[in-house]
């Protein structure tokens, strides 16, 4: 007799969240990962849930907006059921405005946000005021109230606890039973590329660091391509490098030190903060650069959730919803550009 309705391969954020969405609908779920929970890209420290700019709206931006909007209730539910703390809070974000032209653009986007973000969050431009603000050549910063943060490693742990509380298994090895979801991150993209004989995606390594500095209620900063994210536990994460070529997927090197130095330049208050951790992981990037969701091209009854790339955590609640719709109810709400076929 089949004991499991859904087997999820991969205990990263995509696998765990899809498992959670299925378990919430009453499915019997088993998550299988030989390396354990959060062993891949999802076991990191940055956790910026930040929106695309509110203009030139498209299906990717709409999907992400919906996902960010779902994130508060999603993570509150996970915390309540399992007792773990994902460290989620909608604390907003500040970005520096470079010059007068950028100021005009930034102000124009406030109107776009009022429309596209449907009153859920604002985009405004204000004078750069205190010492928790990115260095701004114009003296102005953009504040948005849609951005949120969570602690990736703890979010994985919180999901694992919630799944266990719901009766799901999380194991290192098991045979397939029921429908199968492959949420195997960059290794999964490599394996599929090899099987198909063409590249469907690749890994992009990132390094990040964690500092001791308590700014738990402050907004995250995005400056000079850098995310500076205060966490609830009195730490601040700084991310990330973007490396297409790498030989050691989890090794940290001089690029991490350069990142730290840029963060100290962007926000001098961090200059003397103790470095608690340096971390590296590999993001799964599908060929389309968008999430890669849908039916498995080679295996009957199997599905894929991959390609979270740089915004996997922000996309998670909506990815989990559309995958559970498809796997359990044969309802297909996956945007065209996110389909597996867009990358193979
Ligand atoms: C430095 C860095 C900073 C980042 N910052 C952010 C950020 O601020 N905001 C954001 O939204 N995103 C961020 N990301 C991206 C985010 O981490 C990823 O999009 C996300 O973690 C991908 O999740 P995943 O579950 O698809 O992959 P993974 O977390 O890599 O999970 C895949 C899992 O599959 C397992 N696996 C592999 N092969 C098999 C197999 N054959 N069978 C079973 N299991 C298998 C692996 O052990 C792994 O646990 C960042 C990533 C990095 C590296």
């Amino acid at each position: 007799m089949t004991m499991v309705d859904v087997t999820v391969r991969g205990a990263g954020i995509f696998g765990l969240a899809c498992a959670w969405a299925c378990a919430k609908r009453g499915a019997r779920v088993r998550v299988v990962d030989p390396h354990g929970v959060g062993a891949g890209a999802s076991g990191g420290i940055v956790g910026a849930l930040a929106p695309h700019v509110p203009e030139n709206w498209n299906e990717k931006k709409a999907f992400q907006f919906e996902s960010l909007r779902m994130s508060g209730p999603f993570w509150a539910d996970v915390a309540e059921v399992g007792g773990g703390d994902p460290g989620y809070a909608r604390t907003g974000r500040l970005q520096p405005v470079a010059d007068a032209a950028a100021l005009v653009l930034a102000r124009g986007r406030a109107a776009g946000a009022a429309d596209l973000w449907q009153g859920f969050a604002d985009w405004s431009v204000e004078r750069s005021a205190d010492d928790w603000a990115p260095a701004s050549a114009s003296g102005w910063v953009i504040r948005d109230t849609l951005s949120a943060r969570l602690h990736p490693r703890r979010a994985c742990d919180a999901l694992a606890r919630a799944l266990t509380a719901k009766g799901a298994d999380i194991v290192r090895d098991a045979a397939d039973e029921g429908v199968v979801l492959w949420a195997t991150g960059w290794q999964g993209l490599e394996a599929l590329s090899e099987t198909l004989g063409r590249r469907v995606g690749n890994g992009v390594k990132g390094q990040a660091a964690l500092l001791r500095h308590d700014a738990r209620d402050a907004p995250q900063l995005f400056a000079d391509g850098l995310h500076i994210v205060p966490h609830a536990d009195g730490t601040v994460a700084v991310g990330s490098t973007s490396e297409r070529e790498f030989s050691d997927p989890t090794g940290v090197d001089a690029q991490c030190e350069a990142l730290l130095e840029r963060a100290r330049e962007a926000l001098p208050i961090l200059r003397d903060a103790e470095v608690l951790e340096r971390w590296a992981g590999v993001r799964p990037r599908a060929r389309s650069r968008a999430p890669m969701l849908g039916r498995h091209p080679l295996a009957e009854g199997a599905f894929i959730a991959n390609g979270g790339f740089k915004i996997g955590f922000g996309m998670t609640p909506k990815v989990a919803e559309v995958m559970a719709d498809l796997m359990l109810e044969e309802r297909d709400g996956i945007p065209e550009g996110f389909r597996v076929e867009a990358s193979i």
Side-chain angles (χ1 to χ4, degrees), residues 201-228:
N202 60 285
V204 178
K205 181 176 171 180
Q207 301 185 43
L210 196 67
L211 304 174
R212 190 190 302 283
H213 180 85
D214 196 343
R216 62 187 71 201
D217 299 321
Q220 64 189 268
L221 310 180
F222 184 64
D224 187 23
L226 216 65
H227 294 279
I228 300 177

Side-chain angles (χ1 to χ4, degrees), residues 12-14 32-35 41-42 47-48 184 240 308-314:
I13 194 65
F14 271 19
V32 186
D33 192 319
H35 305 291
S42 305
T184 47
S240 310
F309 196 27
K310 295 188 175 178
I311 57 171
F313 279 88

Side-chain angles (χ1 to χ4, degrees), residues 15-33:
L16 293 167
C18 293
W20 174 241
C22 291
K24 291 272 293 176
R25 294 179 195 198
R28 293 165 301 176
V29 177
R30 176 176 293 145
V31 181
V32 186
D33 192 319

Side-chain angles (χ1 to χ4, degrees), residues 68-185:
L68 293 175
R69 189 151 73 164
M70 292 164 72
S71 292
F74 179 94
W75 290 110
D77 189 28
V78 167
E80 191 182 323
V81 174
D85 181 3
Y88 174 88
R90 211 175 111 202
T91 39
R93 174 183 57 170
L94 299 176
Q95 302 177 74
V97 176
D99 52 28
L103 187 58
V104 172
L105 197 63
R107 286 189 168 136
R109 286 174 177 160
D115 175 29
L116 297 165
W117 291 353
Q118 304 163 28
F120 181 74
D122 311 316
W123 171 289
S124 55
V125 181
E126 59 190 54
R127 282 276 176 202
S128 175
D130 57 25
D131 54 7
W132 186 265
S136 168
S138 70
W140 294 88
V141 293
I142 299 160
R143 182 188 293 271
D144 81 70
T145 60
L146 181 52
S147 296
R149 61 110 209 275
L150 53 61
H151 192 295
R153 193 175 297 156
R154 292 191 186 153
C156 289
D157 179 61
L159 263 172
R161 287 173 185 233
L163 278 163
T164 305
K166 273 265 177 213
D169 291 338
I170 304 177
V171 298
R172 299 228 170 201
D173 187 28
D176 290 344
E177 271 189 70
V179 297
V180 179
L181 175 68
W182 288 86
T184 47

